[in-house]
Amino acid sequence: MALSEAIAAAFALLLSGDAALWRIVWVSLFTSVTGLALAAPLAVLLGYAIAVHRFPGRRLAIWIAQAALSLPTVLVGLLLYLVLTRHGLLGGLQWLFTQRGIIAGQVLIALPVLVAFTLAAVQAADPRFAETALVHGASRWRVMLTVLYEVRFGVMAAVISGFGRVISEVGCALMVGGNIAGETRTITTAIALETSKGEFAQGIALGIVLVAVALAMNAVLLLLQGDASTAGGVS
């Protein structure tokens, strides 16, 4: 099939509302958003805590958070597979080859991204934000919320980067999910499968959806940043 024919067939699939294709998209979005939602609160708290507190091993914690950004997702999948397999530590959960297993993998993949970006954003914040809040008698939780609000766009960038990492990864989803049609087949695992079969139309269609989701997420961030600049008097 020529490239032009494959692209035309891909758009035809998208516009026809092909049930199998949109089921794949739904599984990807559901597992990615759920995993990100579970990872974000803990990751933001950890990133903030590492940034503002001085404790033994702090530099080691920063090094681990930053080094984990380059951790191959297939390795995360391998380790999680060994833990979730029948004789593994968490084998009793029976999460292997399920959406729950994929979500667990997405949490592990998103955590270091969110921690590292939040850490960087808080470290770059003006220390006067926290000092002013303390002078006015704010509690530690209130100070944290004040600082996080001031660096909210950095935190939002962390969330978007984390989402991009989890929805585009293939290694962990393939190993832990098993690429089961209608259940654990995600956009990336489906693209790999369809390409290996020579079925390029569905692969291209799913690739278009993946790019569209990434562009939409970044467009939202840009719009919010633009609104903030306008509110702050920046032309």
Side-chain angles (χ1 to χ4, degrees):
M1 180 183 291
L3 178 59
S4 59
E5 294 176 348
I7 293 174
F11 278 104
L13 276 174
L14 290 171
L15 297 176
S16 68
D18 182 77
L21 184 142
W22 289 107
R23 173 63 183 175
I24 292 169
V25 174
W26 163 250
V27 171
S28 279
L29 291 175
F30 173 73
T31 55
S32 298
V33 171
T34 304
L36 192 66
L38 292 173
L42 175 60
V44 171
L45 288 175
L46 283 174
Y48 176 84
I50 295 172
V52 302
H53 295 295
R54 300 294 181 269
F55 55 89
R58 179 175 179 270
R59 292 180 65 85
L60 176 63
I62 294 175
W63 175 74
I64 291 174
Q66 294 175 342
L69 290 172
S70 58
L71 191 67
T73 59
V74 70
L75 179 58
V76 175
L78 172 61
L79 296 176
L80 193 57
Y81 180 93
L82 294 174
V83 171
L84 295 179
T85 194
R86 179 177 300 178
H87 301 294
L89 184 63
L90 300 178
L93 295 176
Q94 297 183 345
W95 283 6
L96 194 61
F97 304 144
T98 66
Q99 291 183 15
R100 289 183 178 182
I102 295 178
I103 291 170
Q106 308 294 42
V107 169
L108 295 177
I109 292 169
L111 269 173
V113 177
L114 295 170
V115 170
F117 276 65
T118 302
L119 169 62
V122 174
Q123 284 183 318
D126 191 330
R128 288 176 295 182
F129 295 138
E131 294 168 0
T132 302
L134 287 171
V135 167
H136 286 83
S139 64
R140 290 185 177 182
W141 282 103
R142 185 63 182 175
V143 171
M144 181 188 72
L145 292 176
T146 300
V147 173
L148 289 177
Y149 177 78
E150 294 299 332
V151 300
R152 60 192 180 279
F153 293 116
V155 175
M156 288 171 60
V159 172
I160 289 175
S161 296
F163 178 78
R165 179 144 166 89
V166 296
I167 199 171
S168 62
E169 72 86 21
V170 62
C172 183
L174 185 61
M175 296 188 70
V176 179
N179 202 19
I180 302 171
E183 292 296 328
T184 60
R185 183 164 295 169
T186 64
I187 291 176
T188 52
T189 60
I191 290 175
L193 176 66
E194 296 303 322
T195 302
S196 68
K197 291 162 53 180
E199 299 290 340
F200 300 113
Q202 189 176 68
I204 293 174
L206 290 169
I208 291 171
V209 172
L210 196 59
V211 172
V213 170
L215 291 174
M217 292 291 291
N218 283 277
V220 169
L221 179 60
L222 286 174
L223 287 173
L224 292 174
Q225 287 176 329
D227 290 342
S229 296
T230 302
V234 179
S235 58

